[in-house]
Amino acid sequence: MSETEYVVLLDDFGNEIGTAPKADVHDTDTRLHLAFSCHVVNSQGQVLVTRRALHKKTWPGVWTNSFCGHPGPGEAVTAAVHRRGEFEVGLRVRDVELALPTFRYRAVDASGIVEHEICPVYVARTDDEPQPHPDEVAEYRWVDPLELAASLESTPWAFSPWLVLQAQQLHLFDPAPAVRRAS
């Protein structure tokens, strides 16, 4: 994207306190800001996981959820979900549902860069095959949610910390979740 992207800065209670250029926010003392995560499920009940591009500032080359992003100032989070789904993984998603409205985390990657986000988590559906943007995604896989849950439990270091934390709370990774039964 050629124009400057802004993120919404938040206080400890989740109230908007301003904006900042996205490029300036993620550092070793990242200010709390608004983001989102989305897990995309196909008609076979598989969940899309992506491997972050190798040049990403935070957690490069790490496997993570389908896609993430930051709503711009004044942008509805669900509008940002649709926008980033198309940009990052080339998918038009549908049936976007808020799964974890109050998810929040702070994590530090190996380079010392901090993620510090209030990050509502969504689950969406698609029947399309991803067309990932190479600046965002190195590769992707459709996987069985239970197999992913087992991998997250046995090798959490191979995945983004937010995916590991989200999977512990999402029913998507339960043995018989409603999202997998619905088709």
Side-chain angles (χ1 to χ4, degrees):
M1 298 181 159
S2 59
E3 59 185 60
T4 302
E5 259 189 279
Y6 285 85
V7 298
V8 177
L9 301 175
L10 304 171
D11 67 16
D12 286 337
F13 302 102
N15 300 307
E16 184 176 336
I17 58 171
T19 62
K22 179 182 168 186
D24 298 342
V25 170
H26 297 94
D27 56 25
T28 57
D29 191 30
T30 299
R31 294 172 282 176
L32 182 63
H33 60 278
L34 182 60
F36 69 84
S37 288
C38 187
H39 299 265
V40 179
V41 179
N42 66 17
S43 58
Q44 288 80 42
Q46 298 170 310
V47 64
L48 177 67
V49 292
T50 59
R51 186 168 166 244
R52 293 171 60 82
L54 297 176
H55 62 273
K56 296 288 280 183
K57 189 172 185 178
T58 59
W59 282 272
V62 172
W63 285 94
T64 193
N65 58 292
S66 306
F67 62 93
C68 297
H70 301 88
E75 181 181 29
V77 180
T78 53
V81 169
H82 288 282
R83 174 178 54 81
R84 287 302 295 183
E86 288 185 30
F87 176 76
E88 195 167 319
V89 290
L91 289 176
R92 290 181 187 249
V93 294
R94 67 178 193 286
D95 303 329
V96 177
E97 296 180 26
L98 182 58
L100 299 174
T102 60
F103 182 76
R104 177 183 189 148
Y105 75 101
R106 185 181 186 282
V108 182
D109 83 355
S111 72
I113 300 293
V114 175
E115 283 284 9
H116 190 199
E117 299 176 336
I118 292 179
C119 183
V121 178
Y122 292 81
V123 175
R125 297 190 166 279
T126 193
D127 291 318
D128 300 331
E129 196 60 25
Q131 301 295 318
H133 193 294
D135 289 341
E136 300 292 331
V137 176
E139 58 186 306
Y140 71 90
R141 298 279 183 276
W142 288 104
V143 297
D144 179 273
L146 296 180
E147 290 176 12
L148 178 57
S151 295
L152 290 167
E153 197 170 309
S154 64
T155 58
W157 46 264
F159 300 92
S160 69
W162 58 91
L163 173 57
V164 174
L165 293 168
Q166 290 168 11
Q168 294 167 356
Q169 299 175 43
L170 277 174
H171 295 296
L172 180 66
F173 300 98
D174 289 348
V179 73
R180 291 184 69 215
R181 287 193 301 266
S183 291

